Amino acid sequence: MKDHVINQDLTLIEALSRINGVAPEPLVLFVLDEQNRMVGTLTDGDSRRALIGGASVDDKVSKVMHRNFNYMKVEDIDDVKEIKRQRELKMRLVPVLDAEKHIVEIINLEKYNSRLPFDAVLMAGGKGERLRPLTLETPKPLLKVGDICIIDHNIDRLISYGVKHISVTVNYLKEQIEEHFAEPRGEVRVQTVREPKYLGTIGSIRFVKEFYNDTILVMNSDLFTNINYEDFYLHFKEHDADMSVVAVPYSVQVPYGIFKIENRRNITGLVEKPTYDYYANAGIYLIKKSALDLIPEETFFNATDLIEALIAAGRKVIRFPLNGTWIDIGNPQEYKRANELVKHMH
């Protein structure tokens, strides 16, 4: 943060040197007064315009800085809607100020898509039997899609949305995944959690020792998707759900004419080669932390079991339609498709 902060009494030439030094990050400085309160901003563009307008390189920053500046209040630091608004304003760096205008934090919206207040748990304990022999000696999450392991596509995307607390539950060939995450992934240390026996698609979440937020994202680690986690989270909060399930469109086309039948024998009509549209479970969930209490300890339990338990308890379960990329890498054909698709993605 200190690289982007400058005192108002410095000269313009000193400020230009500082601006040059922050590259390749956004070329903007936040200007402070003697009480370390933010009083303005200065960009490379501001500096050029000032010099063209007759300013001297020896003029103080306070003379040429932009005083009507954009910022966030500290109480809005976890307001995802405000983060989204700032991004829509094309802000690149956003200072977060306390009541006295002191800078608490600077949010880099070039580096992060958002700042989402949820923990993430990726399930990585499966054997990947349909991908054998590829998974005989390598756990499926560590297979490469392009130049990156399957699981790292998901981890990196979560980090890009500002998720800081990420756990991975491991079982099959667990030592390889533990070694893979021995070092931090960027600025985030990914925690691995051992599953003592196979406990289904969500049962092992009981072994995560601590959650830091009231919302938990749970997902399969072997998915390849470009889901917008910010939209997913805002949809979840808007509907005040206990659980939200990502749903992908799935169409079934019947290649025959289908009869409409009444009383088991009377034909009342005919539909020629109909298509039926459904939504399939994508294996990505947002869950209120309190809802995890319905998951029994050390018991085989799938995410679909939790859905049914919540519905039976009268709690709110919703769907989030996904219209983007989603591939469940469960067989050689889908693995090949993911590797072809990643060549055309940035």
Side-chain angles (χ1 to χ4, degrees), residues 34-291:
E34 296 305 320
Q35 286 74 45
N36 290 324
R37 296 173 301 197
M38 184 171 169
V39 291
T41 60
L42 185 71
T43 67
D44 58 330
D46 295 330
S47 305
R48 287 195 304 272
R49 285 186 290 272
L51 290 169
I52 292 170
S56 165
V57 292
D58 294 321
D59 284 340
K60 289 187 177 182
V61 168
S62 57
K63 183 177 178 179
V64 298
M65 68 186 182
H66 187 64
R67 295 179 180 272
N68 185 22
F69 54 87
N70 174 75
Y71 67 95
M72 283 178 57
K73 297 178 181 179
V74 70
E75 56 265 31
D76 294 332
I77 200 166
D78 289 324
D79 186 340
V80 177
K81 287 184 178 179
E82 176 60 16
I83 295 283
K84 185 174 184 178
R85 188 184 75 85
Q86 292 285 341
R87 198 173 62 254
E88 289 170 347
L89 290 173
K90 307 299 183 185
M91 294 295 111
R92 301 165 75 190
L93 291 182
V94 182
V96 180
L97 308 184
D98 64 18
E100 288 76 39
K101 296 293 192 293
H102 298 122
I103 298 178
V104 175
E105 184 177 350
I106 297 172
I107 299 175
N108 188 334
L109 292 179
E110 281 196 340
K111 186 175 182 180
Y112 296 105
N113 294 312
S114 190
R115 185 191 179 99
L116 299 180
F118 60 68
D119 292 35
V121 182
L122 286 79
M123 301 294 169
K127 294 181 178 180
E129 292 177 339
R130 289 179 295 165
L131 278 171
R132 289 184 175 177
L134 295 175
T135 53
L136 286 173
E137 298 182 355
T138 302
K140 182 165 63 168
L142 296 188
L143 294 178
K144 296 287 184 71
V145 172
D147 297 326
I148 302 175
C149 296
I150 294 170
I151 194 170
D152 288 339
H153 281 282
N154 294 311
I155 295 286
D156 291 348
R157 189 163 185 82
L158 287 166
I159 292 173
S160 78
Y161 279 88
V163 179
K164 296 180 179 179
H165 302 286
I166 302 175
S167 301
V168 176
T169 65
V170 297
N171 188 330
Y172 177 68
L173 299 176
K174 55 185 174 289
E175 293 83 4
Q176 291 187 40
I177 301 177
E178 290 170 342
E179 182 180 353
H180 182 76
F181 291 115
E183 297 297 325
R185 187 79 184 170
E187 299 174 2
V188 174
R189 179 169 290 280
V190 178
Q191 303 293 327
T192 54
V193 179
R194 289 196 173 192
E195 183 183 40
K197 59 182 179 180
Y198 187 57
L199 294 172
T201 57
I202 204 170
S204 60
I205 199 171
R206 279 294 200 168
F207 292 93
V208 178
K209 292 181 179 179
E210 184 176 6
F211 291 115
Y212 298 86
N213 294 283
D214 291 329
T215 303
I216 316 299
L217 179 131
V218 180
M219 67 181 293
N220 299 337
S221 65
D222 53 0
L223 302 176
F224 186 70
T225 179
N226 65 353
I227 181 174
N228 186 317
Y229 287 111
E230 183 181 70
D231 288 347
F232 185 26
Y233 176 78
L234 288 173
H235 183 266
F236 176 73
K237 298 300 287 186
E238 177 188 349
H239 292 278
D240 191 27
D242 292 285
M243 184 174 185
S244 180
V245 183
V246 174
V248 292
Y250 186 81
S251 297
V252 178
Q253 184 171 15
V254 180
Y256 310 106
I258 300 299
F259 292 126
K260 293 181 179 180
I261 296 178
E262 188 179 81
N263 298 326
R264 297 194 177 188
R265 65 169 72 86
N266 298 332
I267 297 176
T268 61
L270 180 71
V271 181
E272 191 64 37
K273 299 180 180 179
T275 297
Y276 298 99
D277 296 318
Y278 302 95
Y279 276 94
N281 182 359
I284 309 172
Y285 316 93
L286 277 174
I287 309 167
K288 281 186 179 177
K289 184 166 66 172
S290 60

